[in-house]
Amino acid sequence: MSQAGTTPGGIKPGDIKPVGILISGRGSNMAALIEAAKQPGYPARIAVVIANRADAEGLTIAQAAGIATEVIPSKGKERAAFDAELDAALKRHGIEIVCLAGFMRLLTPGFVEGWQGRMINIHPSLLPAFKGTRVHERVIESGTRITGCSVHFVVPEMDEGPVILQAEVPVPDGVTPEQLADLVLLEEHKLYPQALRLLAEGKLRVEDNQVQVQ
Ligand code: GRF
């Protein structure tokens, strides 16, 4: 995704990086990033939260935390037109890093390439296993005993892209998909701030699709 051994997206150590978070719903991962960014010494600040739906619950949480929010409705809009609005909003806020946090809209390759190495996502499985939706149902159906979550760089293909960090979660006997989602979410809330820290500190290198932490 980038030249061998280069810093993704040219992110350099140093300043506190302005981050834009994209959400579509509840926003619990967004809330975890907002909390993390309040800690002294955290290398990123959440400069804007953008939702593609006006009823995304996370917007209220972000506003209560004093963070700028924007709604860019995606319904019925051509992908390229929506992505152009999104890109303009992110640039208007001076964003350097984009975090997808439950953002349920496919992005165009052009948009993704423009943010390559500077846009990350969290997915509730141990990628490359269980990409896509209905993850916890499929994990339980498969009989696997270990699941987890992954933070990865975003590439044009959904739930692909070099994995930055992962956390494992055992699958308890008889667990329901909802219970498993809650167990995984606890780990997501710890993992996402750690991954954003590494990216914002310029500590990640990508070589042959593999992320190395410096
Ligand atoms: C999380 O499970 C995340 O991994 C997935 O969508 C869910 C979003 O939850 N991409 P929230 O909106 O962060 O609470």
Side-chain angles (χ1 to χ4, degrees):
M1 66 170 297
S2 66
Q3 290 157 7
T6 56
T7 313
I11 291 181
K12 297 183 183 64
D15 311 335
I16 295 178
K17 308 292 186 305
V19 170
I21 305 180
L22 308 188
I23 62 166
S24 297
R26 180 178 54 184
S28 70
N29 278 292
M30 173 211 73
L33 294 174
I34 291 173
E35 277 310 304
K38 287 183 189 163
Q39 302 309 311
Y42 196 79
R45 68 181 172 86
I46 311 307
V48 69
V49 169
I50 302 177
N52 67 322
R53 309 168 51 115
D55 61 355
E57 304 95 306
L59 287 169
T60 319
I61 302 170
Q63 284 154 4
I67 290 168
T69 60
E70 292 207 20
V71 176
I72 304 177
S74 59
K75 203 169 180 187
K77 210 173 270 173
E78 292 223 349
R79 288 198 189 284
F82 173 77
D83 286 4
E85 277 186 58
L86 189 55
D87 196 58
L90 291 166
K91 290 190 171 135
R92 203 165 56 240
H93 287 274
I95 296 307
E96 290 183 36
I97 295 174
V98 178
C99 292
L100 308 187
F103 185 67
M104 304 301 286
R105 170 100 180 171
L106 281 178
L107 296 161
T108 53
F111 177 89
V112 172
E113 274 151 27
W115 288 93
Q116 180 171 300
R118 298 183 295 144
M119 181 158 60
I120 59 178
N121 180 45
I122 187 152
H123 183 77
S125 77
L126 292 176
L127 291 172
F130 303 104
K131 297 171 187 169
T133 57
R134 291 185 56 252
V135 170
H136 306 295
E137 286 92 327
R138 290 189 289 126
V139 164
I140 292 167
E141 282 160 20
S142 78
T144 188
R145 304 313 311 244
I146 304 280
T147 186
C149 50
S150 310
V151 179
H152 64 96
F153 283 109
V154 177
V155 296
E157 300 75 30
M158 192 176 68
D159 301 330
E160 304 266 353
V163 171
I164 300 169
L165 291 178
Q166 293 183 308
E168 289 184 352
V169 175
V171 181
D173 288 339
V175 75
T176 66
E178 294 73 25
Q179 289 166 337
L180 189 55
D182 287 346
L183 291 171
V184 173
L185 209 53
L186 291 175
E187 294 305 317
E188 292 184 41
H189 296 166
K190 291 187 249 172
L191 194 72
Y192 211 172
Q194 289 170 19
L196 175 57
R197 172 187 280 280
L198 292 171
L199 178 61
E201 286 177 342
K203 288 194 172 157
L204 302 179
R205 299 283 180 281
V206 180
E207 202 166 340
D208 297 332
N209 213 36
Q210 306 229 326
V211 177
Q212 284 158 18
V213 181
Q214 308 289 299

